[in-house]
Amino acid sequence: MSKHEILSLYTWTAGACFRHPADGVMETAVVRELHPRSGPAKTVRACERCVLSMETEREQMARELGYDYEPGHAGAPFPP
């Protein structure tokens, strides 16, 4: 799959990337939702560069462990 096809699997809105929040507001996608014991759920957002990096890591891990790689799940637990 091309980078463009992978990025199209996500919904993009303005937000701060969890890996570099100092860069300010940019187009980000939710990659994880955290549920603390107290308080509301928190979303973890990533920019395009970080989503692609996370997807590459998932693809390599899937290959090494013998799983089928399915893009569009950056931030999800692995193995599926």
Side-chain angles (χ1 to χ4, degrees), residues 7-80:
L7 294 174
S8 72
L9 297 172
Y10 294 88
T11 302
W12 299 92
T13 58
C17 178
F18 80 101
R19 286 188 176 167
H20 18 71
D23 289 352
V25 176
M26 63 182 84
E27 288 294 301
T28 60
V30 173
V31 292
R32 186 79 175 181
E33 190 171 277
L34 303 176
H35 298 275
R37 290 181 185 246
S38 62
K42 309 260 186 201
T43 57
V44 177
R45 304 187 71 80
C47 67
E48 290 183 4
R49 186 177 73 205
C50 290
V51 166
L52 290 172
S53 173
M54 294 166 75
E55 286 286 355
T56 299
E57 291 170 13
R58 286 180 64 81
E59 183 177 18
Q60 290 172 347
M61 191 179 310
R63 186 175 30 251
E64 290 171 8
L65 297 175
Y67 286 92
D68 291 330
Y69 167 64
E70 184 179 325
H73 304 286
F78 197 88

